[in-house]
Amino acid sequence: MTVQTIDLAGEAPGSTRRLVRHSWGAAGARPKVYLQAALHADEMPGVIALQHLMDLLDVAEAEGRITGEICVVPLANPIGFGQWISHKPMGRQELESMQNFNRHYPDLATLVADALETKLTESAAENLTIIRAEMAAAIAALPVKSDLDALRKTLLGWSHDADYVLDCHCDHMAVMHLYASPLRPADTSLLCRATGARLALIQEVSGGNAFDEAHTVPWAVLKRRYAGRFPIPDGCFSTTLEFRGQLDVDDATGAQDGANLLAFLGAIGAVAGCAAPAHDDAPHYPLGGTDEAFAPQGGVVTWQKRPGDWLQKGETVAHVTDPMTRLRLPVTAPNSGLLFRIELWRHCLRGQSLFNLAGPDVLRSGDLLSD
Ligand SMILES: [Zn+2]
């Protein structure tokens, strides 16, 4: 195992922040797998899962079982990790710019597409290498005006040439689920079977340029642009893995999640001698098939349903009680589907989103992710 550190310059005099990457296997070995956690810096379940995975990788390395290259960034966002206000963590947006840490990644297809016109060949395998090299050059040329720019540039520099990118997040209160591109459905199924995810939400472009899609959208765009001229491979499987809810942090769960991730690494040929994925595949539903419900008034939320429950349209999921008027209003399911996440807070303002469900039919399009 090797460790690489990169210091961000620091915006305040006398301050620096550090990114750390741990790597197993020979540099350049394939498949290359890149895993990171806590890009949203108040989401810790994935951090503990990766801690346990790293212990397992040390054992595998000692036994000579690492066959690919595995890179782990165990805490991807030291800027957000340090942001606390009045005893509350504020890890989702950078407070200086209020930008979501998991949005605004560069559009690599736009940056490399023109330069590729004179470089691509008749070989998909050669084009894979050529496109990755062009992406590396584009990332190296990205301007850095802030630590947030430097963070994005460093993470993408480490991950852009991986065959697999697993970005480990969590939701408020949720079942294990994941977001993926439609490009490589067999890998999506494999990851569901390895992790025990209950739901895969599929979309090519969700809006906002999240980290996972920064790795998949360029291949889809380039494939369309060069259709009939040059073969473009589906160069990367990338996913946002939602390790349940923010409070689901304990060593027993993390150890199981780490073992599940190792089963995935075994199944894709990055580590030898691993247990096989032990779960069933999950439904693959379109991200546009998710729906949400909003608070009919401000008040206190009490839940009748739990994440993982299947809802029928019109069914009561929660109540919101206004303690002053004593009015208790139901919150009903806007459609039938799997209740996969609910809000963490037990009080709400009128109009706030309270829960999301997912079904097989597309209901909406456009910008599909929350801020
Ligand atoms: Zn997140």
Side-chain angles (χ1 to χ4, degrees):
M1 193 266 292
T2 58
V3 179
Q4 182 183 3
T5 63
I6 289 185
D7 287 343
L8 311 180
E11 284 152 358
S15 72
T16 56
R17 286 138 169 162
R18 173 166 290 181
L19 283 168
V20 180
R21 177 179 67 165
H22 301 248
S23 300
W24 290 259
R30 296 287 172 178
K32 174 179 174 178
V33 189
Y34 174 92
L35 303 101
Q36 69 177 23
L39 184 58
H40 286 147
D42 52 355
E43 300 176 0
M44 293 299 114
V47 176
I48 294 302
L50 291 190
Q51 289 297 300
H52 286 280
L53 174 65
M54 290 194 287
D55 291 344
L56 297 172
L57 291 173
D58 286 342
V59 173
E61 182 178 62
E63 295 173 354
R65 295 190 288 117
I66 307 286
T67 49
E69 181 184 8
I70 301 153
C71 301
V72 175
V73 177
L75 193 70
N77 184 0
I79 302 172
F81 196 89
Q83 293 184 161
W84 288 68
I85 294 180
S86 190
H87 310 294
K88 294 185 178 62
M90 303 289 286
R92 188 173 178 86
Q93 281 95 7
E94 193 222 19
L95 294 182
E96 169 64 15
S97 63
M98 289 312 293
Q99 282 190 12
N100 187 321
F101 284 109
N102 190 26
R103 302 288 186 273
H104 309 294
Y105 274 82
D107 174 359
L108 289 175
T110 298
L111 294 177
V112 305
D114 290 343
L116 290 170
E117 282 281 356
T118 56
K119 296 179 179 174
L120 294 173
T121 74
E122 300 299 319
S123 161
E126 285 179 6
N127 289 341
L128 182 66
T129 304
I130 291 165
I131 293 168
R132 283 173 174 162
E134 207 62 42
M135 287 177 173
I139 294 165
L142 288 172
V144 171
K145 298 175 184 167
S146 65
D147 274 7
L148 180 55
D149 289 342
L151 180 88
R152 290 177 176 138
K153 179 173 178 169
T154 301
L155 297 177
L156 200 55
W158 280 341
S159 63
H160 73 280
D161 60 347
D163 300 283
Y164 295 87
V165 172
L166 277 61
D167 190 15
C168 300
H169 288 247
C170 73
D171 212 305
H172 277 202
M173 299 180 74
V175 294
M176 181 95 196
H177 63 288
L178 61 88
Y179 297 81
S181 154
L183 284 183
R184 287 166 54 167
D187 283 319
T188 302
S189 291
L190 192 59
L191 189 60
C192 289
R193 289 172 46 225
T195 61
R198 298 279 307 280
L199 171 68
L201 292 167
I202 309 299
Q203 191 73 29
E204 182 182 310
V205 180
S206 306
N209 287 0
F211 185 79
D212 62 346
E213 290 188 0
H215 297 82
T216 51
V217 172
W219 299 98
V221 170
L222 293 174
K223 184 181 266 187
R224 276 196 289 275
R225 170 162 172 162
Y226 290 107
R229 297 167 61 199
F230 300 109
I232 307 294
D234 298 326
C236 183
F237 173 79
S238 178
T239 179
T240 296
L241 262 173
E242 302 281 355
F243 282 91
R244 309 175 195 83
Q246 277 182 309
L247 301 183
D248 296 323
V249 182
D250 62 81
D251 277 313
T253 305
Q256 185 60 61
D257 286 338
N260 289 346
L261 288 171
L262 188 70
F264 180 72
L265 296 178
I268 61 174
V271 181
C274 300
H279 303 274
D280 293 329
D281 197 1
H284 298 198
Y285 287 157
L287 182 58
T290 58
D291 207 347
E292 62 187 328
F294 303 92
Q297 63 179 356
V300 182
V301 186
T302 48
W303 293 97
Q304 273 65 60
K305 300 290 185 179
R306 308 297 300 172
D309 288 345
W310 184 269
L311 305 177
Q312 298 296 334
K313 183 176 181 176
E315 196 173 10
T316 297
V317 180
H319 289 91
V320 178
T321 302
D322 179 338
M324 295 188 181
T325 65
R326 300 171 64 192
L327 180 63
R328 177 179 163 91
L329 295 177
V331 189
T332 58
N335 269 292
S336 297
L338 178 71
L339 178 63
F340 68 94
R341 70 165 302 279
I342 67 175
E343 288 291 302
L344 183 63
W345 312 114
R346 290 304 192 251
H347 65 294
C348 65
L349 303 177
R350 178 169 54 86
Q352 283 185 333
S353 177
L354 291 181
F355 64 85
N356 294 74
L357 54 85
D361 301 323
V362 174
L363 305 168
R364 60 199 180 99
S365 59
D367 214 344
L368 296 173
L369 297 176
S370 59
D371 294 335

